[in-house]
Amino acid sequence: MIELVQGDITKVEQIDAIVNAANSSLLGGGGVDGAIHRAAGEELLFECRLLGGCKTGQAKITKAYKLPCKRIIHTVGPVWNGGSHNEDQLLADCYINSLKLAIENQIRTIAFPSISTGIYSFPVARAAKIAVHTVDQFLKEHPGCFDRVLWVLFDKNTKESYQKEVDLIEKNLDLADSVTESRQTDLQVFACFFQSVIEQDRSAVVICNLEHEIIYMNPSAIENYRKWGGRELLGQSLLNCHNQQSRDKIEKVIEWFKTSKEHNMVYTFYNQKQNKDVYMVALRDQDRLIGYYEKHEYRNAETMKFYDLW
Ligand code: AR6
């Protein structure tokens, strides 16, 4: 969605709005401001006179008059003063406030110049980093609000600085994609092993997500709970299979699981009739709690003979 071109911002076609790197009087000046006022015509100055100026980091909007776009967003970049006078934040504010104003005015395509890096002397590499990362973050926080964000950069050196930052963002995205892909493959492979561990277990295993929805039952669970519907229980709430007292306890355990990644197992019940211990166990994706299951441990002596194969 972020694009870069080298050129003159007053000549850009098929764009809803362009951004002007103005000064706080909003009454025109040199650089890109001068070029925009010249190209838009003197009516722009008449409208700007009514705006009462603009503070550094803020933005105001006007019509575009003779320019090919529909609107102009005027923002005032910080004058570079060594870097310790809040220049970075004020520059980021210019981009954020321009984009906010654009959304309020249904602007979906917008072109920026390199704010502050001309007459206001902000170092280009530092400005490019702030500009590109601020806009990228804003677009992520406001998905679907823009169709195109373009920088029109006057000279080759400035364009190269911005290109470096855009490349970095794309590289990070690729990296995130490839990590996700390889993790998915790992999970598919591991899932086969985990599935056989669970499926041969002679105790019932019922796995629930955090909404208490039963998402998996092993063959023993289907057999054990046949009386209550067996496989039909899949998709139903585990809470519906318990009385109010047990429901409260289940909810409490889940809250305890949530408070620490070290909280993973609770002894919940001794079933005398079946002579078994029951535990609730947390299920996690890395550290994130994603569900839970009930673990049944029978105390009965094993009845199967050793190596009962022949
Ligand atoms: N199209 C695109 N970029 C341009 C154009 C153009 N037509 N003309 C210049 N640039 P500057 P600032 C580039 O000085 O640093 C004004 O007097 C330029 O090469 O326009 O924020 C205002 O009234 C540079 O890379 O803006 C303020 O007083 C970038 O635009 C003061 O200058 C910004 O340079 C603002 O200074």
Side-chain angles (χ1 to χ4, degrees):
M1 166 149 1
I2 293 178
E3 292 171 48
L4 308 176
V5 290
Q6 194 180 331
D8 179 346
I9 201 165
T10 64
K11 303 272 176 355
V12 172
E13 306 265 347
Q14 292 176 336
I15 208 96
D16 295 338
I18 63 168
V19 176
N20 180 16
N23 60 60
S24 55
S25 76
L26 295 186
L27 301 179
V32 69
D33 194 9
I36 288 174
H37 274 268
R38 277 194 300 280
E42 63 181 6
E43 278 175 299
L44 174 60
L45 185 59
F46 299 152
E47 187 178 352
C48 283
R49 284 204 184 112
L50 305 174
L51 297 176
C54 180
K55 290 194 180 129
T56 305
Q58 302 297 306
K60 297 214 172 159
I61 191 162
T62 64
K63 287 186 246 162
Y65 302 99
K66 292 186 188 142
L67 283 169
C69 57
K70 294 187 206 112
R71 311 296 290 271
I72 304 167
I73 292 174
H74 306 262
T75 188
V76 183
V79 178
W80 179 254
N81 194 7
S84 57
H85 293 81
N86 206 24
E87 290 97 328
D88 292 349
Q89 186 56 53
L90 288 168
L91 183 62
D93 288 348
C94 288
Y95 287 97
I96 292 167
N97 289 322
S98 298
L99 291 170
K100 280 188 183 162
L101 199 54
I103 293 176
E104 283 163 28
N105 288 277
Q106 291 81 44
I107 288 160
R108 297 194 58 83
T109 55
I110 186 167
F112 285 100
S114 173
I115 299 165
S116 278
T117 63
I119 293 166
Y120 282 176
S121 307
F122 205 115
V124 177
R126 183 157 164 167
K129 190 175 275 307
I130 294 165
V132 171
H133 291 274
T134 302
V135 169
D136 180 57
Q137 188 61 31
F138 187 95
L139 296 179
K140 284 181 180 135
E141 288 166 9
H142 299 79
C145 289
F146 290 93
D147 297 325
R148 191 174 177 214
V149 176
L150 178 70
W151 262 280
V152 184
L153 304 160
F154 213 41
D155 60 282
K156 191 163 163 266
N157 176 38
T158 305
K159 185 174 178 244
E160 277 171 8
S161 295
Y162 279 72
Q163 189 65 57
K164 208 171 128 196
E165 300 304 326
V166 170
D167 290 348
L168 268 179
I169 285 173
E170 281 167 7
K171 214 162 119 192
N172 282 343
L173 267 183
D174 286 352
L175 199 67
D177 279 354
S178 70
V179 167
T180 315
E181 265 169 38
S182 70
R183 191 151 178 269
Q184 272 167 359
T185 320
D186 286 350
L187 283 179
Q188 275 163 10
V189 172
F190 291 141
C192 309
F193 291 97
F194 295 145
Q195 192 167 352
S196 39
V197 172
I198 300 167
E199 301 217 321
Q200 57 72 42
D201 198 324
R202 282 177 289 153
S203 316
V205 177
V206 176
I207 297 180
C208 295
N209 60 22
L210 290 180
E211 278 74 55
H212 307 286
E213 188 189 352
I214 298 173
I215 56 167
Y216 172 82
M217 297 171 77
N218 73 346
S220 301
I222 292 169
E223 186 54 39
N224 261 28
Y225 302 118
R226 189 169 296 286
K227 211 162 75 179
W228 294 278
R231 197 185 295 281
E232 301 291 301
L233 290 170
L234 282 170
Q236 295 192 33
S237 170
L238 184 92
L239 297 182
N240 294 341
C241 311
H242 290 79
N243 62 26
Q244 191 57 48
Q245 203 190 8
S246 306
R247 285 183 202 179
D248 292 345
K249 282 187 181 155
I250 292 171
E251 304 264 27
K252 256 193 185 155
V253 174
I254 304 302
E255 284 314 308
W256 183 76
F257 285 161
K258 281 182 188 165
T259 57
S260 164
K261 61 179 177 155
E262 317 291 334
H263 292 178
N264 288 314
M265 188 152 102
V266 185
Y267 184 27
T268 55
F269 191 55
Y270 171 61
N271 184 327
Q272 206 161 15
K273 210 164 109 192
Q274 295 180 31
N275 194 24
K276 70 176 176 186
D277 297 306
V278 183
Y279 306 82
M280 266 179 78
V281 183
L283 292 171
R284 296 185 188 276
D285 177 13
Q286 314 275 23
D287 292 340
R288 191 170 57 93
L289 185 71
I290 54 168
Y292 63 95
Y293 81 103
E294 244 178 21
K295 174 179 156 71
H296 302 254
E297 241 168 42
Y298 290 92
R299 293 188 187 179
N300 299 333
E302 184 51 76
T303 51
M304 210 186 256
K305 279 188 271 163
F306 282 118
Y307 297 104
D308 192 10
L309 297 175
W310 307 276

